[in-house]
Amino acid sequence: MPTVTFLGHAGLAVQGAAFRLLADPWLAPTGAFLGAWHQYPRNDHLGVPAVLDADWVAVSHEHLDHFDPWVIERLPERTRILIPGYPGPAFRERMLAAAGSRQVIEIGAWEKFPLDNRGSWITVIPELSPMCHDAAFLVVADGHGILHCNDARLTAAQARRAKHLAGGLSLMALQTSGASWHPICYEYPPEEMAKVSMDKRIAKLRAAQRLVRQTEPDLAVPFAGPPCFLDPEVHHLNWVLDQEDGAFCDPEVSAGWLREHLPNQRWESFKPGDAVDLVTGEVTRDPVSARFSFADAFRPGYLERYAADRAELIEGEMAGYPIPDAGLFDRFRNHFEFLGGLSDYFRGQINMIVRFEITGPNGGTWDVDFSPEGLKVGEASASVRPHYRITTAGRWLDGVLTGKLAWEDLLISMRLSLYRDPDVYNDYLVGLLKHANAMALDAVEAYETGRDERERITVRSAGHSYDIPRYCPHAGEDLSVGAVIDNGRLRCLAHNFTFDLASGECVNARSANLTSRKLP
């Protein structure tokens, strides 16, 4: 005691002397995100009743590979559910709907919540910017610190504070497979797709390396992905799993890269059912998972058998999204007119035309014009050049408009394609779609307009010195330890926003100016 058992993807089971806690268990045989994502490797050999026999279940955020309603509905009635307290109500409302009569408890940032009467506790560490509703869990079980990072991109300062608060870290688990819709759903030519994919892959690994170097846990574990894709519509995306050239890193590849770059740190990779004793460090391997290897699982046979086993379940998921009726455009217009009225700040920051190409019956090509003056929705005009183009089927869009899906569920499902010109990420567009409520949007505006930039540092590049704020204007990363500076540009390692030091402009995303100043 205590022990940590890995459940696959980001799921952990922490067994203490007087409690059992699950963190982000994803076990649903239907996968997630419209049946597009599935656990890789599969974890359906784990005994569900035994796994779910827990005192506590902690769920970090509303992404469906972490928040699994299938799991929540099967928990014992006595199990209490812990979630971070975010500025907006969306996650809380979705969890309450799934939890039934089970108690749901929100925990504030850095608030110690007791798990037993022997001194064990848990807290949440949300990302600094409220644009991102992601949080890590810090658990102290019988005196042993466990930092479960989930999808949260913690700053170096947050990671160091977690170590100090726990009195040391026996285990730190980090997400090293950023399974997002960029770049794999974008219409890039093959050469550019390969380059962007590799750049993001390496950036994710370097971010993990940086945090572990700052904290020096007894054991560091890359985990939380990648998923695989079993439905025929998205099966072609499995190229991302290739160990050499894929966009996502599996835990074995991640551990190998990180072990090479931080050789004095202990690294392990785990599969579903594997366990580690935090007192002795002894690892027990699951006999079923031991037969799986990421190195050869990309062979068609493994995925073909997996897809065949899940085909009926995926078909059932698809049946829940019928062809939309002729009122689709009216619902689309009403939806975006509502979104456009939520925040003048967001509308002004988006400030572009987004074209939606909706395929299938009752679809069409529609433009949404976001501007500081207001928002307009209408049929697309050939004379108008959009900045973003999003293509998806009407049945998926209708799921969003009728409230069965969140926008991020659709985006992460990969059941769409995107194009942008210029190729600059607009965080505010994604933020408006995913939050869709005034309270969350107001929190972002307050954070971004209320930053204190008086603490500044000096950096050098290409023979020049620049005065810059210590903290990134996007999401607050400490640039004194969390940035790479090269050829007159600064790249923040937290989210890979890149700034031109001479002008302060962000060159690859919509962001506030760095307010850099060239020194004489």
Side-chain angles (χ1 to χ4, degrees), residues 2 23 26 28 46 54 67 102 118 123 139 221 235 251 291 325 335 345 359 450 475 483 494:
W26 175 35
L46 301 178
F67 161 49
R102 299 168 190 84
R118 302 160 60 101
T123 192
V139 180
V221 179
H235 185 270
R291 298 195 294 267
D325 60 31
H335 177 76
Y345 178 76
T359 62

Side-chain angles (χ1 to χ4, degrees), residues 468-514:
I468 67 169
R470 179 172 176 176
Y471 300 100
C472 179
H474 168 240
E477 174 60 270
D478 185 345
L479 299 176
S480 68
V481 294
V484 173
I485 299 168
D486 183 53
N487 198 29
R489 289 185 170 183
L490 178 147
R491 177 165 59 85
C492 175
L493 291 173
H495 299 84
N496 295 309
F497 279 33
T498 301
F499 298 88
D500 178 79
L501 286 169
S503 66
E505 293 294 324
C506 184
V507 300
N508 64 345
R510 190 71 61 87
S511 172
N513 193 285
L514 183 63

Side-chain angles (χ1 to χ4, degrees), residues 27 70 76 83 94 104 295 319 361 364 369 393 455 457 493:
L27 304 171
W70 187 91
I83 63 173
R94 292 180 79 175
V104 177
D369 184 357
E455 188 172 355
I457 59 176
L493 291 173

Side-chain angles (χ1 to χ4, degrees), residues 394-472:
R395 62 193 297 200
W396 312 137
L397 173 66
D398 201 40
V400 174
L401 303 181
T402 56
K404 294 173 70 174
L405 283 174
W407 267 110
E408 255 197 317
D409 295 342
L410 173 55
L411 288 164
I412 301 176
S413 78
M414 318 293 186
R415 296 183 184 274
L416 75 174
S417 65
L418 303 100
Y419 179 83
R420 57 195 187 198
D421 182 20
D423 189 15
V424 173
Y425 174 58
N426 193 310
D427 203 24
Y428 298 95
L429 172 63
V430 176
L432 178 64
L433 295 177
K434 72 181 180 182
H435 293 312
N437 71 82
M439 187 182 302
L441 301 178
D442 289 347
V444 175
E445 180 180 359
Y447 172 82
E448 295 193 348
T449 58
R451 282 188 297 261
D452 184 352
E453 296 189 346
R454 287 175 295 180
E455 188 172 355
R456 302 179 72 86
I457 59 176
T458 300
V459 298
R460 287 189 58 80
S461 181
H464 299 288
S465 296
Y466 298 89
D467 171 74
I468 67 169
R470 179 172 176 176
Y471 300 100
C472 179

